[in-house]
Amino acid sequence: LPANIGDYDKIVVVGQYIEELLYSDYKSDNVWRDENGISVSFVKGIQDAVAEYNEANGTSVQVESVVLSETDGQVAAPTAEQMEMMSQDNVLTVYIPATRITMLTGGADAGEGNDRESLDLPRGQAEVGEQLVNNCSNLVVAMHTQSIVNVDWATQGEKKADAVLWASYLGEKQGAALANVLFGKVSPSGRLNTTWYADESQLGELQHDYSIYPTASDPQDIDLDNGGSYGRTYMYFVGD
């Protein structure tokens, strides 16, 4: 990165939610903005950037979207025909795996009420990504996830993705923000704001106690082994 649009005849955007807006759990009602074209999906952002380039340079670079379906909790890989198209040297593939939040059909992958059990991408998206890594001539992985995920499939194999980006909840202009980084309007040199662990073994034992209030006012009456909690924060914690 940055990718030069003019180096390709086609840019293919792949993912389950590439044509939807991925907001956080605390978004406001953006239906009006979505319906009036103010919100920008990932596909729309890339289409707009390519259209601007084509107009300025007299070129005809195309943008194609490959929306992945989900069946029984698993995301389907692109078809053999789509894979063949993305294997061409003149095609840039942008794969956008995502974690799901409560407003999207199918329920959240994680949230205030539930944790992820693994650092792996949910719903088989890593397996789809691995196929793309091994097939695509030019591949950028642009993850849009709630937090850190395992990226070994993109970075540690014999063949690797050409670039890996991460972002989380870019807001209503998420597609424009991604396109600006992909194509160099903004330098792709940001720094991660969290520690990315290689695997779950580096995390230690996962803690699932998020109780704000203690389960009893007297700490001696709290049984931590059977769902008890001392509470959280300086306002409510009653432990030592």
Side-chain angles (χ1 to χ4, degrees), residues 58-86:
T59 52
S60 57
V61 180
Q62 299 176 330
V63 177
E64 184 165 331
S65 61
V66 176
V67 180
L68 303 180
S69 61
E70 178 181 341
T71 304
D72 297 329
Q74 293 293 305
V75 173
T79 65
E81 182 179 359
Q82 291 166 336
M83 284 291 196
E84 171 62 24
M85 170 183 63
M86 291 182 284

Side-chain angles (χ1 to χ4, degrees), residues 156-208:
Q156 300 299 315
E158 183 175 342
K159 191 175 180 184
K160 302 174 178 61
D162 296 290
V164 177
L165 294 171
W166 174 79
S168 184
Y169 305 134
L170 296 173
E172 64 192 20
K173 297 292 187 182
Q174 60 188 32
L178 175 60
N180 286 345
V181 174
L182 286 177
F183 304 128
K185 281 192 175 181
V186 176
S187 173
S189 60
R191 299 294 181 262
L192 296 172
N193 60 358
T194 55
T195 299
W196 282 57
Y197 300 94
D199 54 54
E200 287 87 349
S201 67
Q202 297 181 333
L203 292 170
E205 184 178 356
L206 293 177
Q207 302 295 318
H208 299 283

Side-chain angles (χ1 to χ4, degrees), residues 123-140:
R123 302 184 303 285
Q125 293 176 98
E127 288 76 10
V128 172
E130 189 171 4
Q131 293 183 49
L132 292 171
V133 168
N134 291 325
N135 177 82
C136 296
S137 293
N138 309 286
L139 175 66
V140 173

